[in-house]
Amino acid sequence: MGIQGLLSALKSIQTTKHLSEFSGQTIAVDAYVWLHKGVFTCATELATGKPTIRYVNYAMEKVRLLRHYGIKPYVVFDGGPLPAKKGTEVSRKRRRDEQLARGNLLASQGKHSQARDCYLKCIDVTPQMAFQLIKALRAESVQYVVAPYEADAQLAFLERQGIVSAILTEDSDLLVFGCKTVLFKFDPVARSVVSISRADFASVTATSADSNGISLVGWSDTQFRAMAILSGCDYLPSIPGIGLKTACAMLRRWKTPQAVVRQIALEGKKRVPKGYLDQFKLAEKCFLHQRVYDPLAEKLVYLTDVDLRNWDDLAEAYIGGDLESTLAKKLATGDVDPITLEAMVDINPGYSPGSRILRDLDNGKSAAHTFKGKSNSGKKKNGTILNFFGPNPIIPPQPRSPPKAITSAGKASGKRTLAEVMDQDVTAKKKRKTPASAPTSPATSSKFFAALEGYGIRRKSFGTAIKSCADESCARLEKENPASEDEVESAHDGDSLVVHGYAESEVEECFSSIVEQEDGYISPTSSMSRGENDFSSPVQTSSRPFVDCDDSDFGVDPVSSPPAAVSLFRPQRLPQSPSLVRADSLDKVLVHASPDNNPLVMKSGFVDLKDCFGHESWSEIDSGEESVTPPYPSPLTPDELIQTYASRMDQSEELEPKDPREEELRANALRTQVVAAGWRDRWAHDSSHTQNEQSFLKRRETNITPTGRHRLLHPASVIAPRHTVKTLSSRKSLTLSEDNWANSNLKGNSNAKTLGFDAEKVTSTEARTRLERFRFRVVVQCTLFLWTLRVSRLVMMNSYHGT
DNA sequence: CGTCACCGTAGAT
DNA sequence: TACGGTGACG
């Protein structure tokens, strides 16, 4: 990823900075890194399809750490696949499947640690997982945006617009995108980052230590970018044998990439791929003009405006097609899957951050006495440890943010004892008056599996939900294809894994909220805020309306700073001092949290585990507003559970019929082909690759998601191709390419299709059935545990009331 | 000398 | 998965 060797070549201008130096600033964060690292905490769960949100907690801890230092994180997620990126993903996908299979094998042999190693290698971050993090970000009013395509370009855009003042990532590409301040190597322990400033490039000389002989003196952005691309980047592999150093040297000698490539060809020692220069131009366009989401205008824009004289459909498609603005907005807010462009499926609806037990932790006595002794210096109020370990209340909830957002979340909500937990539960219970005549769940033999037994209920409520969220574009789509509502619904999974997920996360919290928090944290002072020195950072105000990649750019523009953004929007600097931060002014640029009634977040008729336990255990969850979930009568007894478990086991075969599964695989393959428009041969950098591999399921559509395999269980979840195609056609790049390639790919590639199916089958049937049973067993165990917990709690409560 | 392929490692708890 | 270090190659 990124530019090989670039970071090490820039060692001389790397400076380590403490987080406190960024206090008061808004910093864009590449979420990908955190999600990926977070996966390590729960690889086994993810690989085996066991719902977990540990990766969310991992990322949220980082977010909270930043906020603790007065930094406003602006979290940026990756979006859809950019045509420019070729499908090395395909071979990865295959490796992943192999690893998953191996892991399952090892797990079945009881070699769990070895299995985990395999699982680690087969996990990928899916948009659905990202959505779990988005839910948490919403709940804590953290700014975020899902990039239409690559997070890198989006990050660069945010900085260029002045929306953020620095970028936190691990990807050296950001420098090629022209970012001014990029922060690498975030160290949560040392609370430090390594900063690289564009302004310091000029001091990278061939003689400086660690520069590896490259010199950036006097180079324009265009030249720097050319060097990066020549040396090999994500959009274009280098001419074999050309690395960073030769690219740099030759560019110094020959000035333009055209001349460099001509020279390489002339020398004849290295083979220059056919059409390399054209691809070079396209790669350059990706760095310059890639499509991004403008949170102010709420639509897609070019990272830098294009010169229409130098623009064509190919370039247009290459840098990412446009999207209709309502769809773009939904994508940016996470309500739409950036890959499929269909409504986001909440793979773990039971996880609703913000609605935690003990919500009043931070509003009163318990917090006060629990955290007394902690340093409050630096912050006038809310200076407790919650700033770090819990949601940061400094920034008020955004207008559309639900009131329940301000709660304590996550496992580390502070130092607690079991007694306190009980105490608060009782208090909360008292506060909330539950009418005895509260509606109860439908009379099913098992409430726990009501969702399974009562599909009608789920269908109905979700259908309503869909309707309520449908905007013009969705509505239009549905009109064009009346079946789409059903299809979208069926893409939503309603099996017991959802319930399981709830159990898992809640169990985790039960434990961790009982365990005492470790002491020893001292709130650091955030007084020293070394703002950016504007004198050392020349901001070029380009008078040219366009930035192009013509030869003439070379040597013409030696100023070492990126071209100023075309002033569609005021390029505002952010206030450097915390005291100047005004949430209301900054919040305007936010992607607002979705309304609370987001049907995908809402409990849409699914049965949560909590529904099985009677309302008292969970009464706090929705307090303060209309309870979404009606209280239910008494929980299942263990016996009931076991009974249900047994019957469920019997059902598992029936739930996996052969036909619909094949149909679904077919649909998936088709959808993949449609989505993978950009990967088609004529755009691929290396046509020897992947002509036949294109139709594998793509990276982020793999079956390895927390509940990934659920799709295969539900015949109803087949996504009809025609619907898919219709939806996808709203991507411009797809629209314009449908004619030329769809036919050839879909018809001419039956080979690949077959391959794709086989790969899918390898991991399926038996293993999945086994997994299903395994997971179900865990469901039951968790449930039993919670049940026990509840009983003991009731006992304690009784004694409490008794006195 | 630079590039590339290979290796072991950290990353998480 | 991505990184740094190693050795082989041209």
Side-chain angles (χ1 to χ4, degrees):
Chain A
M1 294 284 262
I3 311 301
Q4 278 179 355
L6 181 58
L7 282 189
S8 63
L10 297 180
K11 268 205 178 112
S12 62
I13 58 167
Q14 295 183 4
T15 56
T16 302
K17 294 189 170 180
H18 194 264
L19 289 182
S20 59
E21 296 182 50
F22 300 93
S23 178
Q25 298 186 28
T26 302
I27 292 182
V29 173
D30 188 348
Y32 184 80
V33 181
W34 290 347
L35 282 172
H36 244 284
K37 288 190 176 174
V39 160
F40 284 83
T41 65
C42 49
T44 307
E45 289 85 346
L46 289 170
T48 54
K50 181 181 169 192
T52 175
I53 44 105
R54 288 236 288 275
Y55 56 92
V56 174
N57 290 337
Y58 177 86
M60 287 310 289
E61 274 178 34
K62 307 284 180 280
V63 167
R64 290 172 194 140
L65 179 58
L66 292 182
R67 295 184 101 181
H68 176 77
Y69 285 94
I71 297 167
K72 289 179 78 175
Y74 197 127
V75 184
V76 178
F77 294 88
D78 262 304
L82 194 68
K85 289 220 177 178
K86 80 166 179 187
T88 51
E89 322 285 354
V90 175
S91 55
R92 288 182 189 171
K93 154 76 174 147
R94 194 178 301 167
R95 264 203 302 266
R96 284 201 181 95
D97 285 345
E98 286 167 13
Q99 292 294 337
L100 178 62
R102 276 181 55 194
N104 285 335
L105 181 66
L106 288 165
S108 66
Q109 295 166 352
K111 301 171 180 172
H112 293 292
S113 70
Q114 287 178 57
R116 216 188 75 93
D117 287 342
C118 292
Y119 288 146
L120 274 175
K121 294 171 185 164
C122 77
I123 308 294
D124 192 27
V125 176
T126 64
Q128 287 71 34
M129 288 162 68
F131 182 69
Q132 301 304 310
L133 175 55
I134 286 176
K135 287 197 291 182
L137 294 173
R138 284 174 180 170
E140 298 188 22
S141 301
V142 177
Q143 302 169 85
Y144 71 91
V145 64
V146 180
Y149 298 97
E150 295 201 289
D152 293 354
Q154 185 68 41
L155 290 159
F157 180 79
L158 293 177
E159 193 200 33
R160 205 175 287 185
Q161 295 297 303
I163 293 168
V164 305
S165 50
I167 289 159
L168 180 55
T169 181
E170 295 298 330
D171 195 342
S172 53
D173 271 347
L174 269 297
L175 294 165
V176 188
F177 275 100
C179 294
K180 297 190 192 78
T181 310
V182 186
L183 311 175
F184 299 94
K185 300 179 173 64
F186 177 47
D187 185 339
V189 178
R191 284 98 200 274
S192 67
V193 291
V194 170
S195 169
I196 296 182
S197 292
R198 175 67 240 242
D200 297 332
F201 276 15
S203 60
V204 177
T205 65
T207 54
S208 47
D210 295 325
S211 81
N212 199 20
I214 75 165
S215 165
L216 304 177
V217 179
W219 274 26
S220 67
D221 272 324
T222 309
Q223 286 166 302
F224 177 71
R225 197 165 45 236
M227 177 189 74
I229 299 172
L230 280 173
S231 78
C233 64
D234 286 353
Y235 308 126
L236 181 63
S238 71
I239 297 167
I242 303 291
L244 191 64
K245 192 164 178 172
T246 33
C248 180
M250 293 193 76
L251 211 50
R252 283 215 163 267
R253 171 78 181 80
W254 304 101
K255 304 299 182 201
T256 73
Q258 285 81 0
V260 168
V261 171
R262 193 185 331 125
Q263 191 60 28
I264 294 172
L266 232 70
E267 287 170 6
K269 290 178 183 170
K270 297 178 174 87
R271 196 187 66 85
V272 179
K274 204 172 123 192
Y276 179 81
L277 266 180
D278 291 334
Q279 292 177 333
F280 180 94
K281 291 263 185 188
L282 286 172
E284 195 167 37
K285 286 187 170 76
C286 281
F287 281 117
L288 281 172
H289 308 297
Q290 187 170 148
R291 197 83 69 170
V292 294
Y293 181 75
D294 184 335
L296 285 173
E298 299 190 336
K299 62 174 186 178
L300 297 195
V301 297
Y302 297 112
L303 175 56
T304 306
D305 271 1
V306 299
D307 181 355
L308 292 174
R309 293 166 302 178
N310 189 18
W311 202 246
D312 53 23
D313 284 349
L314 180 58
E316 178 71 15
Y318 207 76
I319 56 101
D322 201 0
L323 292 177
E324 180 264 333
S325 69
T326 48
L327 184 59
K329 187 177 177 184
K330 280 169 166 286
L331 192 153
T333 51
D335 294 326
V336 155
D337 183 321
I339 295 172
T340 64
L341 296 181
E342 290 162 20
M344 178 64 72
V345 176
D346 190 344
I347 51 172
N348 199 345
Y351 172 57
S352 46
S355 46
R356 290 282 175 247
I357 319 174
L358 316 167
R359 55 183 294 118
D360 48 355
L361 178 64
D362 57 353
N363 71 0
K365 49 179 199 241
S366 65
H369 84 256
T370 305
F371 299 113
K372 76 181 168 204
K374 292 288 186 293
S375 167
N376 274 11
S377 64
K379 307 282 185 321
K380 273 165 224 128
K381 56 175 187 175
N382 296 320
T384 69
I385 200 168
L386 285 174
N387 287 336
F388 174 46
F389 289 112
N392 189 336
I394 292 174
I395 301 163
Q398 296 156 40
R400 294 160 64 188
S401 178
K404 69 177 178 182
I406 307 300
T407 60
S408 65
K411 55 179 179 182
S413 16
K415 186 189 217 174
R416 313 192 51 75
T417 64
L418 183 56
E420 284 168 349
V421 174
M422 297 304 175
D423 183 45
Q424 296 201 348
D425 277 359
V426 172
T427 318
K429 185 189 172 187
K430 278 182 179 172
K431 272 190 214 162
R432 192 184 130 126
K433 290 180 183 170
T434 312
S437 60
T440 56
S441 66
T444 53
S445 61
S446 155
K447 282 181 296 296
F448 189 83
F449 295 109
L452 293 169
E453 297 171 5
Y455 266 75
I457 298 161
R458 181 174 75 85
R459 199 171 281 273
K460 190 177 164 193
S461 57
F462 193 75
T464 320
I466 282 290
K467 213 156 248 154
S468 75
C469 88
D471 65 6
E472 296 144 25
S473 73
C474 286
R476 180 168 43 77
L477 284 169
E478 283 174 22
K479 210 181 255 178
E480 284 168 18
N481 178 6
S484 68
E485 179 177 311
D486 269 350
E487 287 153 8
V488 172
E489 178 223 328
S490 50
H492 200 301
D493 177 35
D495 77 13
S496 69
L497 293 171
V498 166
V499 179
H500 177 193
Y502 199 92
E504 201 264 345
S505 61
E506 288 301 336
V507 166
E508 213 172 276
E509 275 148 24
C510 281
F511 277 126
S512 49
S513 57
I514 289 167
V515 174
E516 289 198 355
Q517 190 74 47
E518 261 188 323
D519 275 357
Y521 178 77
I522 297 168
S523 177
T525 59
S526 54
S527 56
M528 187 179 141
S529 169
R530 204 178 86 192
E532 204 175 289
N533 185 342
D534 282 336
F535 293 109
S536 67
S537 165
V539 177
Q540 178 200 1
T541 323
S542 170
S543 54
R544 288 180 300 150
F546 301 115
V547 177
D548 57 43
C549 43
D550 282 345
D551 306 357
S552 59
D553 249 46
F554 287 86
V556 171
D557 183 16
V559 181
S560 182
S561 76
V566 186
S567 59
L568 285 174
F569 310 99
R570 64 233 135 104
Q572 53 183 163
R573 291 306 286 174
L574 290 170
Q576 301 290 318
S577 148
S579 61
L580 293 178
V581 176
R582 296 189 30 137
D584 53 351
S585 69
L586 287 175
D587 281 349
K588 280 182 198 149
V589 301
L590 304 184
V591 171
H592 296 289
S594 289
D596 196 24
N597 63 358
N598 177 350
L600 303 167
V601 181
M602 210 168 69
K603 303 163 193 71
S604 46
F606 294 86
V607 173
D608 283 342
L609 185 56
K610 67 179 177 183
D611 297 340
C612 312
F613 288 116
H615 59 271
E616 56 270 62
S617 311
W618 313 96
S619 57
E620 303 85 358
I621 286 172
D622 292 308
S623 68
E625 52 186 323
E626 287 289 313
S627 175
V628 182
T629 316
Y632 288 95
S634 63
L636 294 177
T637 65
D639 285 341
E640 281 178 279
L641 272 171
I642 288 161
Q643 253 186 338
T644 329
Y645 171 68
S647 70
R648 163 72 180 183
M649 286 294 94
D650 294 338
Q651 289 175 11
S652 67
E653 260 77 24
E654 299 167 22
L655 284 170
E656 200 169 313
K658 290 272 150 57
D659 271 359
R661 243 197 56 195
E662 291 223 349
E663 235 180 281
E664 197 232 348
L665 288 171
R666 198 185 312 279
N668 271 345
L670 182 59
R671 175 179 53 181
T672 304
Q673 296 194 0
V674 174
V675 174
W679 298 9
R680 109 188 104 129
D681 208 23
R682 76 165 160 125
W683 287 344
H685 305 303
D686 182 357
S687 52
S688 66
H689 267 88
T690 69
Q691 172 132 26
N692 284 337
E693 294 173 328
Q694 284 187 1
S695 27
F696 276 96
L697 291 178
K698 289 213 330 300
R699 180 164 67 98
R700 280 179 270 199
E701 292 179 301
T702 60
N703 46 343
I704 309 153
T705 71
T707 58
R709 120 272 156 260
H710 67 250
R711 282 207 211 135
L712 301 172
L713 276 185
H714 289 281
S717 68
V718 175
I719 296 163
R722 71 196 160 108
H723 169 243
T724 309
V725 171
K726 288 235 158 149
T727 312
L728 291 169
S729 65
S730 55
R731 272 198 204 244
K732 202 168 173 185
S733 63
L734 299 175
T735 314
L736 67 92
S737 57
E738 249 171 63
D739 291 338
N740 3 346
W741 75 275
N743 288 338
S744 63
N745 259 355
L746 297 186
K747 291 174 189 161
N749 246 350
S750 55
N751 233 0
K753 226 186 289 179
T754 323
L755 278 173
F757 288 157
D758 287 347
E760 197 62 23
K761 277 175 187 166
V762 169
T763 60
S764 329
T765 329
E766 286 177 50
R768 287 172 187 289
T769 313
R770 241 189 357 257
L771 274 181
E772 160 69 13
R773 294 187 176 189
F774 169 72
R775 275 183 290 192
F776 198 80
R777 208 158 54 234
V778 182
V779 173
V780 172
Q781 283 165 358
C782 289
T783 311
L784 285 172
F785 169 77
L786 282 174
W787 196 89
T788 316
L789 207 66
R790 180 176 169 273
V791 167
S792 61
R793 189 183 293 183
L794 283 173
V795 168
M796 290 189 66
M797 280 187 208
N798 284 340
S799 65
Y800 177 89
H801 287 299
T803 58

